[in-house]
Amino acid sequence: MTKEITVSGVRPTGRQHLGNYFGAVLNFVKMQELFDGYFFVADYHSLTTHPKAADLQANVKQIVIEYLACGLDPNKCTLYLQSDLPQVPELYLIFNMFAYLGELEREATFKEKVRDQPNNVNAGLLTYPVLMAVDIVIHKAAKVPVGKDQQQHLEMTRDYAKRFNSLYNCNYFPEPEAFNFGGNLVSIPSLDGEGKMSKSKGEQTCIYLSDEPDAIRKKIMRAVSDSGPTAPNSAKPQIIQNLFSLMDLVSTKDTVQVFDEKYNNCTIRYGDMKKQLAEDMVLFLAPIREKIKELSSNDKLLAQIIGDGGNKARQSAAQTIKDVREIVGIKNF
Ligand code: ADP
Ligand code: TRP
């Protein structure tokens, strides 16, 4: 039986954090067992912010190492770099014809970037969702493991796939869905209590997969909290809920329950809760951190994995481009 296809990627914009892990990579690891998985490093996507070449190169390597350290297995899935598929920019050009300016301008991440970086609102940023759609449809994927922040991009991907199918009167591209094994897409909160954990928000707001135990302890002890509940069984404010959400990820159910009860009877001491959370986090991340260190000096292995993955991904992409050229009417003589 042929397996369903899944595709996803992470931008090489820095070390990966807990959000990347629980929103994306943990799902990739589970999906490689059941799906035909294509997991890549979205290096073209990171060019929108004009990184230095040496930084980009180091970050690409870091993402590949972290994929492997988290448990992606090149014998079970295809690991590659987005820029190793020349078919991606070709299909991106074609898909730009179905992407309308008004929709692109209304997209939430684009509006956020316009606000945050008004001096660099480039066309690559505007058409970012088109390139992302192409990453997905180039392998005709059905499921896309991503965090909650990518939901709108997935809706746009479905729109482009539908428009292509409808314009060319074919049923060529599946309409892919965002996916998380837990059922709902997740958003891991930032340690500063504002929004999601993100590589672009800075060192102190993220727990990175490669963080040393002391760095983890310091960051968690500094995470924002408040002076504690004043009435029994009161609703948790967002910043306190965030601490409980992090605890849910890495601590045992019993531990969470103990602190939940203390919260409800107003005896909670956030210092104690954070200490417990920090120790559980250190333990949880230890095997990944060790594996990252182990892989960091094995350039030969990384090159081989990415080389083989590129070959496999190009085969799949080449078939799609061949079909698309024919459907669209761009045919070689
Ligand atoms: P970042 O926003 O930190 O730069 P990326 O944009 O490269 O990370 O995201 C890679 C993947 O990780 C995407 O699937 C994205 O949805 C997911 N992701 C990023 N941050 C979080 C988060 N805080 N919670 C859940 N998923 C996240
Ligand atoms: N846009 C995604 C992010 O910022 C990264 C990405 C690029 C991606 N292409 C993709 C994710 C294709 C899933 C599928 O997180």
Side-chain angles (χ1 to χ4, degrees), residues 187-198:
S187 184
I188 307 304
S190 165
L191 293 180
D192 65 5
E194 284 167 30
K196 75 166 196 106
M197 205 174 266
S198 169

Side-chain angles (χ1 to χ4, degrees), residues 8-25 28 42 63 67 113 128 132 144-151 180 185-190 195-201 206:
S8 195
V10 172
R11 291 178 306 145
T13 45
R15 295 183 294 150
Q16 291 187 82
H17 49 72
L18 284 183
N20 300 132
Y21 185 72
F22 286 103
V25 185
F28 304 179
I63 301 289
Y67 274 171
K113 302 274 178 192
Y128 182 110
M132 174 160 165
V144 185
V146 283
K148 204 165 169 38
D149 58 302
Q150 297 299 310
Q151 207 159 18
N180 184 291
L185 301 188
V186 300
S187 184
I188 307 304
S190 165
K196 75 166 196 106
M197 205 174 266
S198 169
K199 293 195 226 89
S200 56
K201 283 192 77 181
C206 294

Side-chain angles (χ1 to χ4, degrees), residues 53 57 181 204 218 255 298:
Q57 228 170 16
F181 258 95
Q204 294 309 314
K218 277 198 190 119
T255 304
N298 206 337

